[in-house]
Structure formats: structure tokens, C-alpha cells
Amino acid sequence: MIGVFDSGVGGMTVAKAIEDLCPQLPLIYFGDLARSPYGSKSSEVITTCCCRNIDFLIQQGATVVVIACNSAAATAAETLRRQYTLPIIDVVTATVEKAAMASTAGRIGIIGTRATIRSKIYEARLTTVRPACRIASQACPLLVPLVEEDWLGKQETKMILRRYLYPLHQHQIDTLILGCTHYPLLGDLIQARIGKKVRLVDSSAEAARHLKEFLDKNPEIGSNMTEHERQSRFFVSDSTGPVQRLADRIFGRPIYLEKVDV
Ligand code: DGL
């Protein structure tokens, strides 16, 4: 089974993109809402949370794990790959490939949590694949709580977005990486504020594409499932009303969130 985790509901944008690309593939999702947001935490704490999440997903039958969180991928992916033998797909790798190809003038913006921006992972990877590109990044720590509160259409959210995106405007970027899996939920608001000429690269969609490529090359994964494993399950370490509404909205159907102590 495919295990997917995030600090909260943001990773459900990855899970939905996987469902759209591979409809026959059930998932085990874990949203660590009791410890969200990860993006404002230290590398040590984020890594500890990731290990706990992966252990839980393995216990539930995961044989591949998707880190559906940029903060976790940027901080811990390499350590986790050394520690676990199962394949680990992360949101950053495929996003870098896509952004490097999509940018016409090589002026690329990145928005993400503090942890993702602090790691400089996108800068390092982008300059490896496209050495001449110019990169501007912006940490947006208020966006994850706004999304988790379901404040998507509020004036305050629009105002904060304008403030965060203004410096990237100044850099005349032609491509903007949505370097947090919560941000596709703000995609239309971001596009309207950064301008329609700027191409948005969505890390959730890219992670799903990367997983599909991996599964196409490894068809044995995902076969031989027991009857019990043929259904997606969604676990959370805490649950609130806004989060339930968002989960239902992302999938376009009621999602049963199972609360677990992880
Ligand atoms: N969706 C996570 C990400 O992609 C959110 C991080 C957080 O919890 O701060 O970075």
C-alpha cells in the first residue's frame, strides 16, 4: 500500500492528485494535526515526527511512503532514506525538475514554510539542474494556519498573500513554485496576485506524477493487496471542524478521518 503523510490536511492535495492519476490505488494517509505546523519547528523535531509517521504507516501496511510535506522533505528526506529500506518519494524532487523545465527566462520564485525556505533545498537543486537560473524565495509562515482554519476566501488571507508575493513581483519571476502542499488550496488567489503570466508549479501534482512514474517502473508494488487493503483510509492525530470541512472539499466527498494516538 502507498503511505502518504503531512503535518495536516495539506498533504491531502497530494493524496487527491494521486487518486486522480491512479484511481485504482488505495492509500493510507496520516495527517499529524496534533503537531502541525511543521514549518515553524526545528529540524530535529520535524525529523522525529517524520520517523513516528513512517513507523505508523508501515504498521498499517505501507510499502512505499510519499512525504507529502515540503517542510518534512526539505528537512528530513535524506536522513529518512538512510534510516528506512522502503522507497520514499518526496515532494521536492519532481517539483524541481518541472520548474527548471517550465521557466522560460530562468527567473524562478519559491514560496514555502520557514523550514522549507531555511533549508535552501530548492535553490541547491535548481541551480544543479539549471545553473544560470535566478531564484527568489519567500517564507510564508502564516499561510498554513490560514488554510487549516479554512480562511481561504477571507480578506485577511488575500491581504497577507499580497504582502508575501510583493517581493517576488519585484524580481520579475516567470515561474512560481508552490513549495508547500497546503498552497494549491490558495492557487487561484496566488495566481490572481502574482499575475497570470507567471506559471505556477504545484508540488502536490508533481509528487503524484513522480509516484506514478515510480509505480509504472515497479508494477509489483500495489498488487497482491488483501481485501481489507483495497480501501483508502485517512488517519489524523487530532481533528477539528475546519479540517474535516477541508478534507471533504479537497476530495469532493465526505472523508472519514480516523483519530489515532501516534
Ligand atoms: N504541507 C506542508 C508543507 O508542504 C505544511 C507544512 C507545515 O506544517 O508547516 O510544507
Side-chain angles (χ1 to χ4, degrees), residues 22-39:
C22 320
Q24 75 297 346
L25 197 72
L27 305 173
I28 314 163
Y29 184 86
F30 178 65
D32 195 10
L33 280 156
R35 295 168 197 90
S36 170
Y38 283 179

Side-chain angles (χ1 to χ4, degrees), residues 140 142-143 146 151-167 186 189-190 193:
C140 308
L142 295 174
L143 297 186
L146 288 167
W151 272 37
L152 302 182
K154 301 250 187 195
Q155 273 314 111
E156 291 84 347
T157 305
K158 294 178 184 165
M159 205 178 70
I160 290 167
L161 268 177
R162 207 167 301 125
R163 203 91 182 232
Y164 280 146
L165 295 174
Y166 180 74
L186 298 166
L189 294 179
I190 292 171
R193 272 146 201 87

Side-chain angles (χ1 to χ4, degrees), residues 6-11 35-40 68-72 91 112-113 116 144 148 179-183 203:
D6 178 38
S7 61
V9 282
R35 295 168 197 90
S36 170
Y38 283 179
S40 312
C69 173
N70 284 263
S71 309
V91 271
T113 65
T116 301
V144 168
E148 299 263 332
C180 172
T181 55
H182 284 68
Y183 299 173
S203 64

